[in-house]
Amino acid sequence: MTQPSVDQVWAWLDEVPDPEIPVISLVDLGIIRDVDWQGDTLCVTVTPTYSGCPATTIINLDIETALREKGIDKLELKRQLSPAWTTDWLTEKGRAKLEEFGIAPPQPAGGPDRCPRCHSANLERISQFGSTPCKASWRCRDCLEPFDYFKCI
Amino acid sequence: MTKDDALFQFLLRMGDNTLILGHRVSEWCGHSPVLEEDIALANTALDMIGQTQLWLGLAGEVEGNGRSADDLAFLRDAWDFRNVLLTELPNGDFGQTLMRQFLFDAFQSVMLNWLQDSSNTRIAEIAEKASKEVSYHLERSGDTVIGLGDGTEESHAKMQAALDYLWPYVGEMFDGDAVDAVLAKEGIAPDPAELRPEFDAIVGAVLAEATLTVPDSPFVHKGGRDGRMHTEHLGHLLTQMQWLQRAYPGATW
């Protein structure tokens, strides 16, 4: 088969959902650092979000499964630690999808700017941590709904 | 001592600190005072176990005997561990757990900050990654120490008692030896004594705001980071942590 272009591979990877937050793709999450052909081997470079995140191994498995289904048989997954993943790498599309799903996207101020449901700015933090390593727990004082906030790191 | 021997020892110290403290903190899972704290402690433990995989993974590579991070974690006995004694102490109450976390986070943040400029790029990369997580831990453990220290009469008394109990274990983190001297000369890792002023500044500011008093005693418990003499608590911890690999050698997920 002819070698799919790097752009094509990026498009395929953009269809692979994050295992913990399936509304966004791995590309949206900003953890795919590089896609490159080295001879007849496709190298995909991935950076972990949190060093202990249990989703990391599942993510590698999902990438492999998705690309094999597209006919890629020579595949190498590389781990890259530096530069360390930052929430600045979330795509705008990813941020919008997070909010639509009910998770407030990260903000430089260190807390959500508005409730993902009613958009009120009257908020309080419940815990610095949440249901996954990448989230914290907040509550809206107006609609009273608790919600996840994607931590800014 | 060759540079690689020293490097292996240093990486064990880094990895064993996060492994043993990570395991200790995970013992709170399902037992914390409130749900949010349970989640916070479990997440903190998870970050530390994740960092352990990076440190011990590199330790295995440096050693060159084909041992993986899992082999090092589950198949060594107490005398081969190189964690400081502070990390293996039992949790005590919630306040004591958070005080221990704060003292360790303060040390770790200063250490990782230094290591980000290590002449060994693998170490610098791990430090860069772990540093982000540890800053977050330090913010939380510091806030909690202040909240409980400057809280009710009872919470204040418990936090002061925790500090009095844990303080004699602080000095070991800064007690350099031949391993550190070899690595300091190469610009790979610091002489830990060099980190003390910055640690004292962080801890002094938080404890003052928490209305807690640093004990006036120079006594230091040591023997963990050089493996000479661990406390009896480490062996008990390992019986839990290593049970599965001991009972079913080589078992995999």
Side-chain angles (χ1 to χ4, degrees), chain A residues 14 21-23 35 37 46 61 64 109-110 116 122 134:
Chain A
D14 199 21
I21 311 167
V23 288
V35 175
W37 282 102
V46 185
L61 194 67
E64 204 175 324
N122 187 14
C134 58

Side-chain angles (χ1 to χ4, degrees), chain A residues 58-103:
Chain A
I58 307 293
I59 285 172
N60 283 350
L61 194 67
D62 288 351
I63 292 173
E64 204 175 324
T65 310
L67 295 180
R68 292 219 188 281
E69 273 172 13
K70 302 289 184 185
I72 309 275
D73 36 77
K74 285 199 170 178
L75 175 66
E76 190 189 342
L77 292 179
K78 290 186 186 166
R79 182 184 70 181
Q80 182 181 322
L81 288 179
S82 178
W85 178 75
T86 158
T87 38
D88 294 348
W89 294 344
L90 280 168
T91 63
E92 282 305 319
K93 166 168 77 85
R95 294 173 61 89
K97 281 184 173 175
L98 278 178
E99 189 174 32
E100 203 181 312
F101 185 61
I103 299 173

Side-chain angles (χ1 to χ4, degrees), chain B:
Chain B
M1 187 181 328
T2 69
K3 194 181 88 180
D4 275 355
D5 289 341
L7 189 54
F8 178 59
Q9 288 300 314
F10 173 76
L11 292 167
L12 287 183
R13 289 171 179 181
M14 294 301 292
D16 287 348
N17 278 345
T18 48
L19 173 64
I20 299 301
L21 187 57
H23 183 84
R24 272 291 182 229
V25 174
S26 79
E27 291 171 2
W28 274 103
C29 204
H31 300 281
S32 302
V34 290
L35 182 61
E36 288 75 14
E37 292 304 329
D38 206 286
I39 291 170
L41 285 167
N43 269 286
T44 304
L46 185 63
D47 284 343
M48 288 192 283
I49 299 299
Q51 292 158 19
T52 303
Q53 288 175 330
L54 301 175
W55 292 121
L56 292 186
L58 184 55
E61 282 182 48
V62 167
E63 188 194 31
N65 291 340
R67 287 202 279 183
S68 67
D70 278 354
D71 293 337
L72 289 168
F74 297 118
L75 302 176
R76 281 178 301 154
D77 215 333
W79 46 79
D80 290 328
F81 275 78
R82 295 292 179 265
N83 56 288
V84 291
L85 301 180
L86 178 73
T87 59
E88 70 197 43
L89 296 176
N91 288 331
D93 60 22
F94 178 74
Q96 187 177 312
T97 296
L98 264 295
M99 180 61 83
R100 183 186 57 195
Q101 191 66 37
F102 169 65
L103 295 171
F104 180 76
D105 289 344
F107 163 76
Q108 190 76 340
S109 69
V110 179
M111 172 61 102
L112 293 175
N113 200 25
W114 195 103
L115 292 178
Q116 287 188 64
D117 296 319
S118 168
S119 62
N120 181 312
T121 51
R122 299 286 302 278
I123 290 181
E125 285 176 7
I126 298 175
E128 181 192 344
K129 179 81 207 156
S131 179
K132 289 187 159 204
E133 295 165 4
V134 170
S135 323
Y136 202 79
H137 297 172
L138 178 62
E139 190 184 316
R140 174 172 177 279
S141 60
D143 284 353
T144 315
V145 164
I146 292 168
L148 292 173
D150 187 19
T152 64
E153 203 176 311
E154 185 184 349
S155 73
H156 174 86
K158 285 190 173 184
M159 292 311 275
Q160 185 63 53
L163 181 60
D164 291 348
Y165 173 62
L166 296 171
W167 192 256
Y169 294 92
V170 166
E172 187 190 10
M173 296 190 284
F174 303 96
D175 188 35
D177 60 8
V179 169
D180 301 296
V182 170
L183 299 181
K185 207 169 131 226
E186 302 277 342
I188 294 173
D191 167 4
E194 221 182 274
L195 308 176
R196 187 75 199 239
E198 207 181 324
F199 170 88
D200 283 338
I202 295 171
V203 169
V206 167
L207 294 182
E209 202 179 336
T211 71
L212 297 169
T213 313
V214 174
D216 183 21
S217 159
F219 183 73
V220 175
H221 290 286
K222 46 190 175 185
R225 77 194 294 277
D226 58 12
R228 189 179 53 80
M229 178 88 74
H230 280 282
T231 66
E232 66 176 300
H233 307 298
L234 180 63
H236 291 276
L237 180 151
L238 295 184
T239 60
Q240 295 289 318
M241 191 182 81
Q242 298 181 330
W243 177 83
L244 192 104
Q245 280 301 323
R246 297 285 181 187
Y248 303 96
T252 55
W253 222 214

Side-chain angles (χ1 to χ4, degrees), chain A:
Chain A
M1 84 184 222
T2 50
Q3 238 176 35
S5 70
V6 164
D7 286 344
Q8 176 65 65
V9 176
W10 276 102
W12 286 337
L13 291 172
D14 199 21
E15 289 165 10
V16 182
D18 174 86
E20 294 276 10
I21 311 167
V23 288
I24 60 170
S25 78
L26 299 183
V27 173
D28 287 331
L29 191 59
I31 60 169
I32 310 289
R33 301 313 303 156
D34 194 36
V35 175
D36 185 31
W37 282 102
Q38 295 192 348
D40 59 352
T41 303
L42 180 69
C43 294
V44 178
T45 307
V46 185
T47 194
T49 52
Y50 284 79
S51 57
C53 186
T56 308
T57 47
I58 307 293
I59 285 172
N60 283 350
L61 194 67
D62 288 351
I63 292 173
E64 204 175 324
T65 310
L67 295 180
R68 292 219 188 281
E69 273 172 13
K70 302 289 184 185
I72 309 275
D73 36 77
K74 285 199 170 178
L75 175 66
E76 190 189 342
L77 292 179
K78 290 186 186 166
R79 182 184 70 181
Q80 182 181 322
L81 288 179
S82 178
W85 178 75
T86 158
T87 38
D88 294 348
W89 294 344
L90 280 168
T91 63
E92 282 305 319
K93 166 168 77 85
R95 294 173 61 89
K97 281 184 173 175
L98 278 178
E99 189 174 32
E100 203 181 312
F101 185 61
I103 299 173
Q107 302 294 340
D113 63 348
R114 61 181 190 180
C115 166
R117 294 175 197 279
C118 75
H119 294 180
S120 160
N122 187 14
L123 312 169
E124 64 180 336
R125 186 176 74 188
I126 303 172
S127 171
Q128 276 137 307
F129 291 88
S131 54
T132 65
C134 58
K135 287 179 263 164
S137 310
W138 284 68
R139 176 165 40 217
C140 175
R141 289 204 184 103
D142 284 333
C143 73
L144 304 179
E145 283 291 331
F147 63 89
D148 278 336
Y149 163 63
F150 205 103
K151 293 188 312 208
C152 185
I153 73 162

